[in-house]
Amino acid sequence: MNILILGSGIVGANLAKKLSEQGKNVYLIDDNTDELNSLSEKFDIKIINDDPLDPQFYKNFKEDINYFIAVTKSDEKNILSCKFAKDYLGVDKTIARIRNQNLINEASDKEFKASNEFLDYVISPEKEVSSNIFEKIHMPGAFFSEKLIANQLSLVGLKSSDLFKNHSYQEIKDFFNSNNIIYVGHSVEEEISLDFNGIKDSDHLYIILKLNSIQPLIKFFGFVDDALNILIIGGGTIGYNLAKLIENDDQKINLKILESSPSRCEFLVKELNDTNIFNGNALDQSLYEEMDLSNMDLVISVTDNDQINIILSIIAKKRGSDSVISIINNETFSSFANDLGIDIFINPRELTTSRIIEKISQGNLLSYHSILRDSHTIYEVKYHNDLFEIIKDNKIYNHICTFSEEKLYLSSSEHLPTTNDILFISLENKYSAKFEKILDDY
C-alpha cells in the first residue's frame, strides 16, 4: 500500500512511523526541509520537499497512491490538497484533519458532501477528544474506558483496590463469569500480569464487557453513578463541544466552565443554556472557593497548555475533587501522569493518529488501545481463517476472547471463531509493528 502524508508535525510524524513499521510505502511531503531530513533518518520513509499547494507537483508525481492524508495545521491547505490528490493523482481515499468547527459541522451536511466528494474522511481532533471524555464521564470508578468498534462493548480499566472494599476474590470472579465480563490483565506497580489469580494484589485491572453490563458493574462495586458536579477548565473548542454533549445528555449535571478570555466567555454564555461560566485565570486560587472546587465530582482540564493542565489537575485533587481528567499532548508528561494523581489523561495527537490508522486498515484492524502502563496493546480485529491460525500458533499474540453473536467467549472456550466474529488480541508493544504488518497482509 502506498500512502502520501502531507504535514511533518507530530501527527504526521507519528503516522509516518506507525505506517512504515507496518510495511507500507510512506511518502511524506512538506516544505520544512530540516524536519523532513530529521524524520527520514529515523523512519523508513521517502521524503518530498515541495509545495503541496502547487497542482504541478501532483501532475508530476509518478507513483500510484492509495491513501492521501493531510494533517497540517491549516484546514484550507488540508482540504485543497485533498482535492488536488483526487483530481490529479486519482487516489483511492483522502483523509483531512480539520479543526474549524464550522467546517466540521458542514462536513456532515449532505449538500456539503455532495459538492466535496474528494473528501472521503474528515477527522476533527477536538471532536474526537470531546466525545472521548464524554464517554468516560459515564464510567464511574474507571481510570480508563474506550468504546470498541464492535459497538456493544467497552474496554475498561479499574483501580483494583476499589474492587475489594466490599467483595472477596471469589465473589468478583463469580460476578465476572455471570455477567460475561472478560479479564484482560493487571499491573502490580511496574510488573505486568495476565493471570487473573493475582488481581487482589494489583493496582490496575483491565476488562472487556458489554455495554449493558456497565450498570450491573457500577451497582455491584458501589460506584457513584455519574458525576453530578463537573468543572471544565478551558472554554475552547474542546471545552465547548464537551459542554454541549453534557447539556444534551439525559443526566442532569451541575456544569461550570472556567475560561480566561472575556470574549470567549461571552460566546459561551450565548451558546450554552445550562452552564455557569466563570471568567478568570485558572491559577488564581481566589476563584476556587467561588467555584466550589472542593465539592466537584469531576474536574476536566482542557486548556492548550500541558503544564497548566497537569498543575490544575494536581490542585483540584489536593483541594478535594473526586476525579480529574486532563488532556496531555507531550508523551513525556503522559508517562508519569497517573503517578501525579491524574485519574484519566488523553493525548489528542495519539487519539487522532489511531483514528486515522483505523480508517486505512482495510477492514481487518478495527481499533487498538494502549494498556497496562503503555506496555501492551489490545487489538480489535475481524476474524480471518489464516489470521486466526497465525495468532493461535504464536505465543507472543495472546488471544483474549472472541465476540460472536452478541456474546463474549474466552479463548479457552470451545467456541471456534467464524465469519463476522471479532477477535481481541493483546501483545507487548515491542511486537506491535510485526503484528500490524501481518494484519495488513491479510
Side-chain angles (χ1 to χ4, degrees), residues 37-297:
N37 290 334
S38 173
L39 293 175
S40 68
E41 292 173 2
K42 299 176 184 176
F43 313 133
D44 183 17
I45 61 174
K46 302 173 183 66
I47 59 171
I48 305 167
N49 185 11
D50 211 325
D51 180 5
L53 293 182
D54 182 1
Q56 204 62 40
F57 159 74
Y58 301 91
K59 292 177 181 179
N60 295 335
F61 196 79
K62 302 301 181 185
E63 300 293 334
D64 291 330
I65 297 297
N66 302 103
Y67 279 86
F68 178 80
I69 307 169
V71 288
T72 73
K73 293 180 179 179
S74 167
D75 290 349
E76 293 76 9
K77 183 183 286 188
N78 293 340
I79 293 171
L80 189 55
S81 61
C82 281
K83 178 168 176 55
F84 289 159
K86 273 284 190 180
D87 291 349
Y88 302 123
L89 286 181
V91 299
D92 296 335
K93 299 289 182 182
T94 61
I95 302 174
R97 179 176 72 172
I98 298 179
R99 310 187 80 102
N100 186 296
Q101 293 308 292
N102 291 327
L103 286 174
I104 289 295
N105 294 335
E106 282 189 33
S108 59
D109 182 76
K110 289 182 179 180
E111 290 184 10
F112 180 89
K113 288 181 178 179
S115 59
N116 295 276
E117 292 182 345
F118 59 88
L119 284 176
D120 293 296
Y121 302 111
V122 170
I123 301 289
S124 166
E126 291 80 6
K127 192 171 182 179
E128 293 289 347
V129 171
S130 301
S131 299
N132 195 272
I133 294 174
F134 181 68
E135 288 177 12
K136 289 171 171 52
I137 290 174
H138 292 285
M139 190 59 236
F143 66 87
F144 176 95
S145 66
E146 291 285 350
K147 279 187 181 176
L148 301 170
I149 304 299
N151 219 24
Q152 303 174 56
L153 305 174
S154 187
L155 172 65
V156 175
L158 300 168
K159 293 181 180 179
S160 302
S161 58
D162 294 340
L163 309 186
F164 291 92
K165 289 178 179 177
N166 303 305
H167 298 285
S168 67
Y169 166 83
Q170 190 58 49
E171 286 174 333
I172 293 172
K173 186 176 181 180
D174 291 343
F175 174 77
F176 280 11
N177 289 336
S178 62
N179 286 272
N180 198 207
I181 297 173
I182 304 297
Y183 161 81
V184 175
H186 68 267
S187 62
V188 183
E189 294 181 349
E190 298 303 317
E191 297 297 319
I192 304 302
S193 174
L194 304 179
D195 182 5
F196 184 80
N197 292 324
I199 64 169
K200 191 165 185 179
D201 299 319
S202 66
D203 45 24
H204 289 163
L205 169 76
Y206 287 83
I207 56 176
I208 296 174
L209 73 166
K210 294 180 66 175
L211 296 185
N212 60 13
S213 295
I214 289 178
Q215 286 304 316
L217 179 90
I218 292 170
K219 185 177 180 180
F220 179 77
F221 288 112
F223 297 136
V224 177
D225 187 8
D226 292 316
L228 300 179
N229 296 295
I230 296 178
L231 170 64
I232 299 174
I233 302 176
T237 302
I238 294 174
Y240 168 67
N241 284 344
L242 179 57
K244 291 290 283 186
L245 289 172
I246 292 173
E247 285 195 343
N248 292 330
D249 191 40
D250 293 334
Q251 178 69 37
K252 181 63 178 176
I253 290 176
N254 176 26
L255 181 62
K256 299 175 182 178
I257 294 180
L258 175 60
E259 166 58 38
S260 61
S261 167
S263 60
R264 184 65 180 178
C265 285
E266 291 178 6
F267 167 82
L268 295 172
V269 168
K270 185 173 68 173
E271 296 294 326
L272 298 173
N273 300 317
D274 301 311
T275 303
N276 294 312
I277 311 299
F278 294 80
N279 176 227
N281 187 329
L283 295 178
D284 181 359
Q285 298 190 37
S286 64
L287 286 170
Y288 299 160
E289 188 172 338
E290 182 183 354
M291 294 185 299
D292 200 17
L293 182 63
S294 61
N295 289 316
M296 286 295 145
D297 297 312

Side-chain angles (χ1 to χ4, degrees), residues 162-436:
D162 294 340
L163 309 186
F164 291 92
K165 289 178 179 177
N166 303 305
H167 298 285
S168 67
Y169 166 83
Q170 190 58 49
E171 286 174 333
I172 293 172
K173 186 176 181 180
D174 291 343
F175 174 77
F176 280 11
N177 289 336
S178 62
N179 286 272
N180 198 207
I181 297 173
I182 304 297
Y183 161 81
V184 175
H186 68 267
S187 62
V188 183
E189 294 181 349
E190 298 303 317
E191 297 297 319
I192 304 302
S193 174
L194 304 179
D195 182 5
F196 184 80
N197 292 324
I199 64 169
K200 191 165 185 179
D201 299 319
S202 66
D203 45 24
H204 289 163
L205 169 76
Y206 287 83
I207 56 176
I208 296 174
L209 73 166
K210 294 180 66 175
L211 296 185
N212 60 13
S213 295
I214 289 178
Q215 286 304 316
L217 179 90
I218 292 170
K219 185 177 180 180
F220 179 77
F221 288 112
F223 297 136
V224 177
D225 187 8
D226 292 316
L228 300 179
N229 296 295
I230 296 178
L231 170 64
I232 299 174
I233 302 176
T237 302
I238 294 174
Y240 168 67
N241 284 344
L242 179 57
K244 291 290 283 186
L245 289 172
I246 292 173
E247 285 195 343
N248 292 330
D249 191 40
D250 293 334
Q251 178 69 37
K252 181 63 178 176
I253 290 176
N254 176 26
L255 181 62
K256 299 175 182 178
I257 294 180
L258 175 60
E259 166 58 38
S260 61
S261 167
S263 60
R264 184 65 180 178
C265 285
E266 291 178 6
F267 167 82
L268 295 172
V269 168
K270 185 173 68 173
E271 296 294 326
L272 298 173
N273 300 317
D274 301 311
T275 303
N276 294 312
I277 311 299
F278 294 80
N279 176 227
N281 187 329
L283 295 178
D284 181 359
Q285 298 190 37
S286 64
L287 286 170
Y288 299 160
E289 188 172 338
E290 182 183 354
M291 294 185 299
D292 200 17
L293 182 63
S294 61
N295 289 316
M296 286 295 145
D297 297 312
L298 176 63
V299 174
I300 306 169
S301 188
V302 291
T303 77
D304 57 4
N305 186 304
D306 284 354
Q307 290 95 326
I308 295 295
N309 289 336
I310 291 172
I311 291 170
L312 293 174
S313 296
I314 294 172
I315 291 174
K317 270 287 190 177
K318 288 188 176 297
R319 291 269 178 162
S321 300
D322 290 344
S323 298
V324 293
I325 297 176
S326 177
I327 60 170
I328 304 176
N329 286 285
N330 190 313
E331 291 182 359
T332 304
F333 295 152
S334 299
S335 63
F336 55 78
N338 284 140
D339 296 329
L340 295 174
I342 300 174
D343 299 288
I344 300 173
F345 63 90
I346 297 167
N347 186 325
R349 290 162 180 166
E350 181 60 34
L351 187 61
T352 302
T353 301
S354 66
R355 292 293 184 265
I356 291 174
I357 289 178
E358 288 163 13
K359 297 291 186 189
I360 62 177
S361 63
Q362 295 186 320
N364 288 326
L365 172 60
L366 300 179
S367 72
Y368 67 93
H369 310 276
S370 184
I371 61 171
L372 295 169
R373 296 186 179 274
D374 293 332
S375 66
H376 286 62
T377 300
I378 186 165
Y379 291 88
E380 182 182 12
V381 300
K382 274 189 179 179
Y383 167 82
H384 186 288
N385 190 41
D386 293 341
L387 176 62
F388 180 64
E389 291 301 316
I390 291 172
I391 293 168
K392 188 175 68 173
D393 296 336
N394 197 315
K395 293 182 179 179
I396 65 172
Y397 306 139
N398 176 32
H399 174 210
I400 301 169
C401 61
T402 302
F403 185 58
S404 176
E405 296 182 349
E406 301 190 1
K407 183 174 174 59
L408 285 161
Y409 294 90
L410 281 168
S411 58
S412 58
S413 71
E414 294 181 356
H415 176 81
L416 290 175
T418 58
T419 303
N420 295 325
D421 282 0
I422 306 297
L423 307 180
F424 291 95
I425 315 296
S426 77
L427 58 142
E428 291 183 63
N429 283 350
K430 61 184 178 182
Y431 301 121
S432 292
K434 181 180 178 181
F435 181 66
E436 287 167 12

